[in-house]
Amino acid sequence: MRNDPGDLSVSIRRLDWTPTMLVVEWSDGRRAEFASIWLRDNVPADRDAFSGQRLIDVADLPASPRIRRAELRAGALSVEWEQECAQACFPSQWLARQAAALEDPSERWRARLWPDGAARDAVRDFAWATPGTMGADPATLADWLRRLIVEGMAFLADVPTEPGTIVSALSPIGQVAATNYGLVFDVRSVVQPENLAYSDRGLGLHTDNPYREPVPGFQALHVLVAAPDGGESLFADGFAIAAALRQESPGDFEQLTRTAVPFAYRSRDALLEARRPLIQLSCAGEVIAVHYNSRSIAPLPFAAATAERYYGAYRRFAEMLRDPRFALRFMMRAGDLVVFDNQRILHGRTAFIAARHPRHLQGCYLTRDSVRSRAALLAAGPEGGA
Ligand SMILES: [Fe+2]
């Protein structure tokens, strides 16, 4: 098998350079190109030795630095630039890691889509752990977090069903973030609910709180009391549905990515409003977030001439969310806890009868960066965080 250029076992076999470009040939035959300005911007001596933070600004660099000389010294790359005294030394392993990142910066954590939700089995096809196994073994936690990020959803079992346990169960996973619903919110049926989640109605697939800034990154739901009939959980991969829409109705997909939709929430203690597209793209055109919550979409601010076109795309997406092929159905038991990416995985539930069975879940939101940070630190190993 050919080595990954990020593999620390590769070394530099050959160097070619011009004043503006340097070409490295690795020991496995692969090549990487580095611009002179990029190398000059990454001179190790321009970073603080302890924190690794950059000491200079791009405006401190020569506008068009030209390489005067480049050579290999003891396996490292040594570079000198014209009209500068400084000499930079780039460790070959560092360059190899950068080459891998330049090729595909996000490959390691790339989403693995599951368009076949109805054919999936929550127990068989997603990561499961218990608080005990997660706490005892960093490798179990590392793998669980990796799958949470790649698949968008993962589960814990045997979480004690005392109220509030969710907070300690989530402590190895990320930072819990408080909102106007509190640090922990109770999902159970109440009289005159401020949010229809706090009723016994069925809820169609949705993401939570698109009216908030930032939108909650990950969501956790812990079942304290399960309803024996009804209250089945529904999950679907919004990225997979967006990909299907992009393929089947590219014009509708474009409408949804280019139009900011107003979302709003009002209660006695909060008035929240935000505008965002239902499908959000990265600069590279990749789907990076899905925001869909029919309960909190405010009146759409469209002129009559454009409303019909948008409504067509909006309706098409809503119909796809009702398509049973995408939805995984799962009856969670007391003690089960699900964590999912709230900007990717849509969730919902079937109706239940609160008067007969007091279904009770507790929920929390986790910040997106803290979960990814835990995953990255564990993947890097004990030395990686330094
Ligand atoms: Fe929800």
Side-chain angles (χ1 to χ4, degrees):
M1 192 174 76
R2 193 163 68 174
N3 288 334
D4 182 326
D7 182 340
L8 299 187
S9 65
V10 299
S11 57
I12 297 174
R13 184 161 74 191
R14 178 189 158 96
L15 274 183
D16 286 309
W17 58 274
T18 67
T20 57
M21 167 90 75
L22 186 138
V23 182
V24 169
E25 185 178 309
W26 305 105
S27 52
D28 65 359
R30 298 183 85 175
R31 289 156 55 91
E33 296 179 347
F34 300 95
S36 171
I37 182 69
W38 186 92
L39 288 165
R40 184 62 189 81
D41 185 36
N42 288 286
V43 168
D46 288 334
R47 287 183 177 267
D48 177 66
F50 181 73
S51 68
Q53 294 201 317
R54 197 188 302 273
L55 297 165
I56 60 164
D57 189 277
V58 67
D60 296 317
L61 300 177
S64 302
R66 291 170 61 85
I67 296 172
R68 181 173 60 215
R69 183 205 304 263
E71 60 188 350
L72 276 177
R73 286 189 191 164
L77 170 66
S78 171
V79 181
E80 296 172 20
W81 282 271
E82 293 178 5
Q83 298 175 333
E84 290 195 85
C85 301
Q87 186 181 74
C89 184
F90 299 92
S92 59
Q93 293 175 356
W94 182 87
L95 272 180
R97 281 198 297 273
Q98 302 311 311
L102 289 170
E103 269 186 10
D104 192 340
S106 58
E107 186 56 45
R108 188 181 212 176
W109 305 103
R110 185 173 292 283
R112 194 181 307 142
L113 306 191
W114 40 282
D116 56 342
R120 291 215 154 209
D121 181 304
V123 174
R124 183 193 64 204
D125 297 328
F126 291 88
W128 284 78
T130 66
T133 57
M134 201 173 250
D137 180 15
T140 298
L141 177 57
D143 189 57
W144 190 94
L145 283 167
R146 183 188 61 77
R147 291 189 63 185
L148 170 63
I149 289 168
V150 169
E151 289 159 354
M153 182 165 73
F155 294 85
L156 295 180
D158 301 334
V159 179
T161 55
E162 284 79 41
T165 315
I166 185 171
V167 175
S168 55
L170 294 175
S171 67
I173 295 165
Q175 180 68 47
V176 172
T179 68
N180 56 298
Y181 300 123
L183 193 67
V184 176
F185 49 88
D186 287 282
V187 184
R188 60 182 160 192
S189 182
V190 298
V191 178
Q192 294 186 323
E194 288 182 339
N195 187 317
L196 291 180
Y198 308 151
S199 71
D200 56 5
R201 292 170 182 263
L203 295 176
L205 287 171
H206 65 279
T207 58
D208 267 21
N209 296 195
Y211 41 74
R212 199 178 294 287
E213 188 61 57
V215 176
F218 286 81
Q219 181 174 171
L221 291 169
H222 176 207
V223 181
L224 303 183
V225 180
D229 53 348
E232 194 176 19
S233 296
L234 311 173
F235 301 102
D237 186 346
F239 285 8
I241 297 172
L245 180 69
R246 190 175 214 167
Q247 188 164 27
E248 295 169 18
S249 307
D252 290 338
F253 177 85
E254 191 176 330
Q255 279 283 319
L256 299 187
T257 60
R258 291 192 170 190
T259 310
V261 170
F263 291 94
Y265 173 84
R266 290 178 182 79
S267 69
R268 277 172 303 206
D269 59 354
L271 203 169
L272 303 165
E273 293 180 348
R275 288 172 181 250
R276 42 181 49 93
L278 298 191
I279 299 173
Q280 190 178 334
L281 300 182
S282 70
C283 295
E286 297 171 313
V287 175
I288 53 170
V290 170
H291 307 289
Y292 187 86
N293 192 314
S294 60
R295 283 170 285 143
S296 58
I297 292 181
L300 297 172
F302 296 137
T306 54
E308 199 164 333
R309 179 70 193 91
Y310 187 79
Y311 269 94
Y314 176 27
R315 181 185 179 83
R316 175 83 185 107
F317 191 49
E319 286 171 348
M320 291 180 83
L321 296 182
R322 291 186 184 184
D323 187 334
R325 71 181 152 134
F326 292 115
L328 174 136
R329 297 173 70 105
F330 180 51
M331 183 60 89
M332 292 178 69
R333 298 180 310 174
D336 288 351
L337 187 156
V338 61
V339 183
F340 54 91
D341 183 342
N342 182 58
Q343 297 184 35
R344 170 180 168 188
I345 305 299
L346 298 118
H347 64 288
R349 69 165 185 239
T350 60
F352 60 101
I353 302 172
R356 202 160 64 205
H357 300 294
R359 181 181 188 264
H360 184 192
L361 280 62
Q362 284 195 316
C364 285
Y365 299 121
L366 299 123
T367 62
R368 193 175 196 76
D369 56 349
S370 68
V371 175
R372 289 183 164 265
S373 169
R374 298 273 169 92
L377 277 173
L378 284 163
E383 303 296 318

